[in-house]
């Protein structure tokens, strides 16, 4: 059989097109895989952000509770002290403080 020069050229061009098509498919597969990785990173980043916001909210709540507990004892001591002083004065001076 006789191969025409045009046929060889067409065959060479077809092989190049097939090779380029294969490279393009591989590149698209890598791009899709990279997109999946980026989406996974975005999801993890959003989860981390949500967790950080929740942690901050809970930390503020704990801080408020601790602050209240630290203040509750001194406030209670002052109130009890004032009550004891008032009762002592009422006992010594009477309810209307006539005897003082």
């Amino acid at each position: 059989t006789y191969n025409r020069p045009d046929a060889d050229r067409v065959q060479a061009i077809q092989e190049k097109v097939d090779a380029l098509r294969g490279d393009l498919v591989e590149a698209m597969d890598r791009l899709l895989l990279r997109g999946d990785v980026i989406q996974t990173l975005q999801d993890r980043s959003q989860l981390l952000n949500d967790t950080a916001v929740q942690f901050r909210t809970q930390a503020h709540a704990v801080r408020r509770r601790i602050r209240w507990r630290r203040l509750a004892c001194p406030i209670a001591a002052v109130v009890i002290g004032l009550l004891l002083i008032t009762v002592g004065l009422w006992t010594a001076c009477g309810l209307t403080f006539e005897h003082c």
Side-chain angles (χ1 to χ4, degrees):
T1 60
Y2 172 74
N3 287 335
R4 294 186 343 224
D6 291 339
D8 290 338
R9 195 177 317 154
V10 169
Q11 181 65 28
I13 292 173
Q14 184 62 41
E15 288 173 1
K16 286 181 182 180
V17 167
D18 290 341
L20 284 174
R21 182 178 294 144
D23 291 344
L24 182 61
V25 168
E26 286 179 30
M28 289 175 63
D29 287 342
R30 286 194 306 267
L31 185 62
L32 290 173
L33 182 62
R34 189 179 307 145
D36 289 343
V37 169
I38 290 172
Q39 184 61 42
T40 300
L41 288 174
Q42 286 176 337
D43 293 344
R44 288 181 181 178
S45 175
Q46 184 61 43
L47 180 63
L48 182 62
N49 184 47
D50 294 344
T51 303
V53 168
Q54 183 181 14
F55 177 80
R56 186 180 325 142
T57 303
Q58 290 175 349
H60 285 301
V62 168
R63 189 179 307 137
R64 272 186 257 120
R65 268 188 262 133
I66 289 173
R67 189 178 304 140
W68 172 247
R69 287 180 184 167
R70 284 183 181 169
L71 289 175
C73 287
I75 290 172
V78 168
V79 169
I80 290 173
L82 289 174
L83 284 174
L84 289 175
I85 290 172
T86 304
V87 169
L89 286 174
W90 282 342
T91 303
C93 300
L95 288 178
T96 59
F97 298 103
E98 296 171 357
H99 303 292
C100 286

